[in-house]
Amino acid sequence: MKKKSGARFLELLYGLFIIKDCLELVSKGKDYHIITISSQLRGIFLDTDGEKHKPLFFEVLDYFDLDPVVYIRPSSEEDTSVEGLVFKYDLKYPYLQPKETKDLIKISIDEWLNLPILRIEDKVISSKLLIGILSDKFGGAHYDPNVERWKWNLKNMQIFNVKIIDNVFVQLSELLLKLSWSLIRLLSNWSYCFEFGVRYENLVSPKRIISFYQGTSKMSVCFILGIDKSLTVKLVGPWGNSLEIPLLDKVDSNINSIGLNYYISTNFEYYLDIIHEGKICKHMKLPYPIFIDSRLFMYKTIIYGDDNLIVGIINQAQYMDVLNEKGTAELYQKFLEKRNSVDIFLNRVETAKENNYSKQNSKYYKNISYNEWLNYPITRE
C-alpha cells in the first residue's frame, strides 16, 4: 500500500532523528552505532521498491517540489600512499544555495552520492556504495547480494590508530544529516496570523472558526471557540496524537488578533510561539512534530466557520518561515491599516481551490466593510 506524503515525511524526519542520536553515541566511543546509522541512511537514500517509488529522501523532495541538486568544488587528483595501498579520501562538500557559484559545479544529489570518496588500490568506493557495504556486510538485516565483497577488512582498517571507514562514514553521515535537515527544517517552519470576529445566538457546543486540512481528510490545525467563549488551537501530529493549546480566555465578538509560529530548531526540537496583537506572548516546546508543510494555508483544504456560527475574517497572512518580534509588530501594524473589509461566513464553508478558495461561489459567503461588521447583528440571516 502506498504511503501518504505525511507518513513519508515523518518517516524521513524520524530517520534523521535516529542518525543524530547515534552520531552522539559514536562520539562517546560507542562506534557500533555506525551500523544503525548505515541502515537508516540506506533506507533514506538507497532503498526503492522498483519503479513505483524513489528512495525516501527523493520522494519527500518531489512532494515539496524541490530540485535535488547541490553545488560542489572540483577536487584535486593527489593520492596518498598508505602501507602499500594507494589510498585517497575526497568527500566533496555540497552547497545547497551558495551565494556565489562561479567556481562551483552543479550536479544532482544522486550524482553526488555516486562520486568516489575512497580509493584503495584500484577499488573505488562512492558514498552510496559505502552505505551499501556497511549496511549489508555489518548490518545483517539489509543483505544485498549485488554489493561487491571486499578482500580487506574495511571495518578495522586503520591509519595511525584511526579506523578509516568509521572516520569517513561518520563525516559522511554528519554531512548527509546536515544536508537533509537543511532542506526539511526550513520547509516545516511557518507562521500564520489572522484577525477575526464571531456572531452566534446560542453557544451550546464548541465551534470551529477555521480548520486547515493536510490534503482533503486529515485535519492539521483547527481554531476552536469554546462554550466558555475561549479560543483554543488544536494541532494534530503523527499517529493520532493531538495538542489543544489555549490562546485567548475570551473571544471578542468584533475583532481578535492571534497568530502562530511553528518551527523545528537546528537541534531537532519542535516549538510553537503564540502571537497576540503583534507580540509573541508564549513560547512552547512541543513533544512531537505537527505535519504541516509551509504551503498548507495557501494550497490545501480550508473550512471557514461552523454550523450556527457566523465568522468574520478581517485580516490574515501566512509566511513560509517564522516571524520574530519585529516581524510580528510590523504585521500587526499592517493589519491595523488594512481593517477595511471583512469576509463573512454565515455557516460552514469548505474550500479547496488555490488562492481565492472559491469563496465567491458559496451562498454562505459575502464581503462587507469593516464598519458594517462592527454593527453586524447577532441574529442569522
Side-chain angles (χ1 to χ4, degrees):
M1 183 176 68
K2 183 178 180 180
K3 294 183 180 179
K4 296 181 179 179
S5 300
R8 297 295 278 167
F9 174 85
L10 288 171
E11 190 176 337
L12 174 57
L13 196 64
Y14 283 109
L16 297 178
F17 284 6
I18 292 170
I19 293 171
K20 174 182 176 292
D21 290 345
C22 287
L23 283 170
E24 290 179 359
L25 291 169
V26 170
S27 70
K28 297 176 181 178
K30 300 179 180 180
D31 61 355
Y32 50 85
H33 285 285
I34 284 176
I35 307 308
T36 303
I37 296 173
S38 70
S39 299
Q40 290 298 319
L41 289 178
R42 181 169 185 146
I44 291 172
F45 290 99
L46 273 61
D47 285 348
T48 67
D49 62 351
E51 297 180 356
K52 292 184 180 180
H53 296 293
K54 297 180 180 179
L56 175 60
F57 177 75
F58 296 100
E59 264 200 15
V60 174
L61 288 190
D62 283 350
Y63 172 69
F64 283 119
D65 295 323
L66 290 174
D67 192 11
V69 299
V70 292
Y71 295 82
I72 62 170
R73 297 188 183 280
S75 60
S76 64
E77 294 298 327
E78 295 180 2
D79 289 334
T80 302
S81 297
V82 178
E83 296 181 359
L85 297 177
V86 177
F87 172 79
K88 179 183 177 183
Y89 167 59
D90 184 18
L91 180 58
K92 300 173 182 65
Y93 187 88
Y95 299 87
L96 282 175
Q97 296 177 327
K99 294 180 180 179
E100 181 60 55
T101 60
K102 181 180 179 181
D103 299 322
L104 301 177
I105 301 172
K106 181 180 179 181
I107 62 173
S108 71
I109 294 177
D110 190 61
E111 289 175 311
W112 179 79
L113 287 169
N114 281 307
L115 291 176
I117 60 172
L118 283 175
R119 279 196 176 94
I120 304 172
E121 289 189 349
D122 60 340
K123 300 292 185 181
V124 176
I125 304 179
S126 65
S127 299
K128 189 178 288 188
L129 183 56
L130 180 59
I131 294 169
I133 290 171
L134 290 185
S135 59
D136 169 52
K137 184 172 178 57
F138 304 107
H142 294 282
Y143 175 74
D144 184 353
N146 295 319
V147 173
E148 183 180 357
R149 295 295 177 265
W150 291 73
K151 65 181 180 181
W152 299 290
N153 185 350
L154 293 178
K155 190 75 174 60
N156 295 317
M157 187 185 297
Q158 297 186 14
I159 298 179
F160 306 122
N161 296 321
V162 176
K163 291 184 178 180
I164 296 174
I165 297 301
D166 284 6
N167 185 51
V168 171
F169 193 72
V170 166
Q171 292 185 51
L172 173 63
S173 302
E174 291 173 342
L175 197 51
L176 288 173
L177 179 65
K178 183 177 180 180
L179 176 68
S180 305
W181 192 238
S182 297
L183 287 167
I184 298 305
R185 189 178 71 83
L186 293 179
L187 287 166
S188 301
N189 299 349
W190 52 263
S191 178
Y192 175 71
C193 299
F194 74 115
E195 293 189 322
F196 73 97
V198 291
R199 300 287 190 273
Y200 49 84
E201 289 187 77
N202 189 18
L203 195 62
V204 296
S205 62
K207 298 293 181 182
R208 297 180 178 183
I209 294 171
I210 303 182
S211 303
F212 297 97
Y213 286 73
Q214 186 68 37
T216 56
S217 60
K218 186 172 181 61
M219 183 186 69
S220 295
V221 181
C222 182
F223 294 90
I224 302 170
L225 175 66
I227 299 176
D228 59 355
K229 302 179 183 179
S230 64
L231 179 67
T232 300
V233 64
K234 183 177 182 180
L235 304 172
V236 179
W239 307 296
N241 292 319
S242 64
L243 291 169
E244 292 192 10
I245 300 170
L247 302 178
L248 295 173
D249 292 334
K250 186 175 182 180
V251 170
D252 185 84
S253 60
N254 286 327
I255 188 164
N256 307 269
S257 185
I258 201 75
L260 303 175
N261 277 335
Y262 170 76
Y263 55 100
I264 306 178
S265 74
T266 54
N267 293 323
F268 291 69
E269 295 173 328
Y270 322 104
Y271 289 98
L272 185 74
D273 292 338
I274 309 300
I275 302 168
H276 182 231
E277 296 183 348
K279 297 180 180 179
I280 297 176
C281 60
K282 188 182 294 185
H283 176 71
M284 303 177 60
K285 183 177 178 181
L286 303 180
Y288 43 77
I290 307 300
F291 176 62
I292 313 167
D293 74 68
S294 58
R295 303 166 299 169
L296 171 71
F297 304 104
M298 194 176 299
Y299 296 105
K300 304 301 180 184
T301 302
I302 302 175
I303 297 178
Y304 292 90
D306 208 340
D307 296 335
N308 301 314
L309 179 71
I310 299 173
V311 173
I313 304 296
I314 297 99
N315 282 302
Q316 58 179 330
Q318 185 255 327
Y319 299 95
M320 296 182 187
D321 205 345
V322 296
L323 294 171
N324 56 23
E325 289 283 359
K326 181 181 178 182
T328 59
E330 290 177 350
L331 179 61
Y332 185 62
Q333 185 60 42
K334 290 180 181 179
F335 278 1
L336 291 174
E337 296 169 359
K338 289 175 60 180
R339 289 177 181 174
N340 301 317
S341 65
V342 181
D343 288 332
I344 302 293
F345 300 91
L346 304 173
N347 209 318
R348 186 179 186 272
V349 178
E350 181 172 340
T351 65
K353 188 179 179 181
E354 294 180 13
N355 302 323
N356 63 13
Y357 311 119
S358 300
K359 291 181 292 192
Q360 69 276 14
N361 295 330
S362 172
K363 66 179 180 178
Y364 295 118
Y365 164 79
K366 65 179 180 177
N367 182 270
I368 63 175
S369 71
Y370 181 60
N371 287 332
E372 287 180 287
W373 169 249
L374 295 179
N375 297 293
Y376 200 83
I378 294 177
T379 56
R380 299 179 53 79
E381 297 183 359

